[in-house]
Amino acid sequence: MRTRLGLAAAGAALALAAAAPVAAAPSPPPPPEPQLTDQDVAAAVNRLPGSIAAGMRSTGVPGLSVAVVHDDEVVYLKGFGVRRTGESGAVGPDTVFQIASLSKPVSSTVVAGTMKDPSEWDRRTELPGFALKDPWVTGHVTTADLFSHRSGLPDHAGDLLEDLGHDRAYVLDHLRLLPLSPFRASYAYTNFGLTAAAEGVARAHGTSWQKLSADTLFKPAGMTRTSTEFSAFATAPDHAATHVKNPDGTWSPRYVRDPDAQAPAGGVSSTARDLARWMRLQLGGGTLDGKRIVPAETLARTHLPEVVAQATTPTGRPQFYGLGWNVTYDDAGRLRLSHSGAFALGANTNVTLLPLERLGIVVLTNGAPVGLADAIAEDFFDTAEHGGPTTDWLPLFASLYAQADRANRSTTDYARPPSGAAPPRADSVYTGTYDNPYYGRATVTANPGGGLTLSLGPEPERYPLRHYDGDTFSFETAGENAVGRTGVFFKDGTMRIEYLDEEHLGTFTRQQP
């Protein structure tokens, strides 16, 4: 209620305003209008087969599936190539792919579907075993904070624990040991932060994340081949194996990526046909085939910028992150939503939506990221908006992925010991059991034929150590976050592993015999 003094002051201000001429406040700019015609979209669709074929020839990626929706219709749906090299099974619209981080906007759709009001995104995340290093942040971090990567957790927090074989419970329980950057003022992409939020939502509803996803989104939307469980992907008769590129340029299905530990962030598998239905739901404000599946307001919240993800981009416009979505605005002021997915062990995907134009494309591939999925999506929108590509997108995205792959590699070439390298000491100086509060136990053992082996993880992965210089050794890393050869440094009863030490948590202490 206003006080009498407040009313008097307001009246005096109004009187002064009436007595003095004041320039009218500028009107807000009008909202953007749709600009694309059916003919524009048709031209982009007609270009797709040729651009896809050219991209697959250039990269060698074995298989791809794509869907385009416009004005609530699927206007293109097709598969290309093979599900697995060396076999004849063709990719089709119903081939199941691992979609990697494209799981994030799918999962934010699930969470939006559990809510009645957008403010529910701002509820504190509560999950047994989950805490952050700062108790105050733990007490205030919300679903929105974790879905927008603004919790303060470092980039890809917990991913190396998953690589070593630790399960979800272990990873979430050990995030409390990681240093934090400023809460809600910094962006760092974290699969397990988002996973904690999603698991917290499922627990609040008394169910599992898998069942919540199926009951809230997949079943109501008719996404019959979509799942959050690796077993469903692996046992699907029509599924695309993941492939990596060999040194000779060929592709092979050498690895299997089980992302169950981070299912909400990267564990969804789906098809182009199912994701076309999901894109129609997104562009329809939560409705599909005349049926309300997700509340419009809670879904719209996922499309809003929550944090600046990149202040400077090649276009000169900042990049934002919403709730499971990359959020940008183009030169015409139109909202643009996108997300890529990438498994170094063999998958690359992209979804891009232009909601004002009710236009979207999803591209699924069964090859490690070389930029093909992203390039096809950008080429498509370029053609729809400008009549043709404004640049050659494939080399651009290929260079970005290659740059990311090189980012965490050691600056030391451990394959080439320095001239005059000091010999190692006796094996007994290095062998033993080592403990680390974050990564767990490690052992170093002497091989019967000579040399040392490092064992890491709960079901130990074994890595032969190669001597480099004095008390420094190296080994070849493995898994989704492999970075080539990394150093192992022994000193005064400790062992520091280089690629595990980015957050200064990579030192293991030798147990006393």
Side-chain angles (χ1 to χ4, degrees):
M1 180 181 294
R2 290 186 180 182
T3 64
R4 191 178 298 272
L5 179 60
L7 286 171
L14 287 172
L16 286 171
V22 178
S27 300
E33 294 288 336
Q35 298 180 10
L36 300 182
T37 66
D38 290 344
Q39 291 74 23
D40 294 328
V41 175
V45 167
N46 290 338
R47 179 177 161 80
L48 268 175
S51 66
I52 290 171
M56 293 181 72
R57 281 195 305 270
S58 174
T59 62
V61 168
L64 181 151
S65 192
V66 62
V68 176
V69 300
H70 183 229
D71 282 342
D72 202 32
E73 292 185 5
V74 180
V75 296
Y76 192 79
L77 181 64
K78 191 172 181 180
F80 297 80
V82 295
R83 301 192 302 255
R84 187 182 186 94
T85 55
E87 299 181 5
S88 59
V91 171
D94 295 311
T95 299
V96 181
F97 286 77
Q98 289 184 294
I99 68 172
S101 283
L102 203 156
S103 302
K104 292 178 175 68
V106 172
S107 294
S108 73
T109 312
V110 173
V111 174
T114 68
M115 298 175 174
K116 295 180 180 179
D117 187 274
S119 64
E120 293 180 53
W121 278 103
D122 300 312
R123 287 180 176 171
R124 177 194 167 200
T125 292
E126 297 184 69
L127 186 67
F130 169 71
L132 301 178
K133 191 165 188 176
D134 184 332
W136 189 91
V137 175
T138 301
H140 290 80
V141 70
T142 67
T143 307
D145 293 325
L146 292 164
F147 262 81
S148 61
H149 310 297
R150 65 182 189 193
S151 67
L153 282 168
D155 186 63
H156 284 82
D159 285 6
L160 290 173
L161 293 177
E162 180 192 20
D163 263 11
L164 295 178
H166 291 290
D167 62 18
R168 180 187 303 159
Y170 182 97
V171 177
L172 296 183
D173 183 61
H174 285 73
L175 295 180
R176 71 186 70 226
L177 299 177
L178 292 167
L180 297 176
S181 57
F183 181 48
R184 292 181 184 157
S186 54
Y187 168 88
Y189 191 84
T190 56
N191 291 306
F192 282 97
L194 187 148
T195 296
E199 289 291 332
V201 171
R203 183 175 184 273
H205 286 81
T207 188
S208 68
W209 176 251
Q210 289 76 13
K211 189 172 190 307
L212 186 71
S213 299
D215 292 347
T216 305
L217 178 61
F218 303 159
K219 290 177 182 177
M223 299 168 68
T224 58
R225 292 176 173 85
T226 302
S227 175
T228 67
E229 296 175 279
F230 176 73
S231 60
F233 164 77
T235 58
D238 182 5
H239 79 269
T242 50
H243 294 76
V244 295
K245 199 170 186 177
N246 301 313
D248 64 0
T250 61
W251 291 77
S252 298
R254 298 209 313 263
Y255 303 107
V256 174
R257 173 76 165 101
D258 180 347
D260 274 353
Q262 54 162 280
V268 175
S269 59
S270 190
T271 69
R273 190 186 304 276
D274 275 9
L275 292 172
R277 295 188 65 78
W278 170 70
M279 288 192 294
R280 288 175 56 211
L281 181 149
Q282 285 282 335
L283 296 169
T287 63
L288 182 63
D289 296 331
K291 178 184 176 183
R292 169 65 61 190
I293 295 174
V294 179
E297 295 81 6
T298 63
L299 184 65
R301 171 72 187 270
T302 70
H303 300 166
L304 297 176
E306 298 280 339
V307 65
V308 175
Q310 190 176 353
T312 304
T313 65
T315 63
R317 293 186 297 271
Q319 171 92 35
F320 304 99
Y321 202 90
L323 300 176
W325 283 104
N326 290 308
V327 179
T328 58
Y329 297 88
D330 65 16
D331 290 334
R334 294 174 298 186
L335 171 68
R336 183 167 176 162
L337 304 170
S338 66
H339 215 290
S340 296
F343 283 162
L345 298 185
N348 189 203
T349 60
N350 179 279
V351 62
T352 304
L353 305 179
L354 205 56
L356 183 68
E357 306 289 354
R358 303 190 73 193
L359 179 64
I361 184 171
V362 65
V363 185
L364 311 177
T365 79
N366 62 353
V370 291
L372 181 59
D374 309 87
I376 290 169
E378 289 293 342
D379 187 287
F380 172 80
F381 273 95
D382 252 6
T383 303
E385 297 178 50
H386 308 294
T390 58
T391 191
D392 188 353
W393 290 104
L394 185 54
L396 175 61
F397 282 109
S399 67
L400 291 174
Y401 280 114
Q403 180 181 343
D405 182 62
R406 293 190 300 268
N408 295 318
R409 291 181 178 264
S410 178
T411 57
T412 301
D413 183 0
Y414 290 105
R416 300 176 183 272
S419 59
R425 291 186 281 174
D427 288 348
S428 59
V429 174
Y430 311 111
T431 56
T433 300
Y434 295 75
D435 282 329
N436 178 289
Y438 183 67
Y439 291 105
R441 179 167 294 184
T443 60
V444 177
T445 55
N447 303 325
L452 300 170
T453 294
L454 169 67
S455 299
L456 290 167
E459 297 181 5
E461 296 290 336
R462 292 174 171 81
Y463 304 95
L465 294 180
R466 176 187 293 180
H467 181 252
Y468 179 71
D469 183 16
D471 293 331
T472 300
F473 294 76
S474 74
F475 68 93
E476 189 73 25
T477 56
E480 178 64 29
N481 299 282
V483 293
R485 284 209 159 264
T486 195
V488 180
F489 312 98
F490 293 93
K491 183 178 180 181
D492 300 331
T494 66
M495 172 182 64
R496 183 171 67 86
I497 300 177
E498 184 179 17
Y499 94 116
L500 301 182
D501 199 40
E502 186 173 351
E503 305 301 332
H504 307 293
L505 295 172
T507 296
F508 294 69
T509 302
R510 191 181 186 187
Q511 291 182 348
Q512 295 299 319

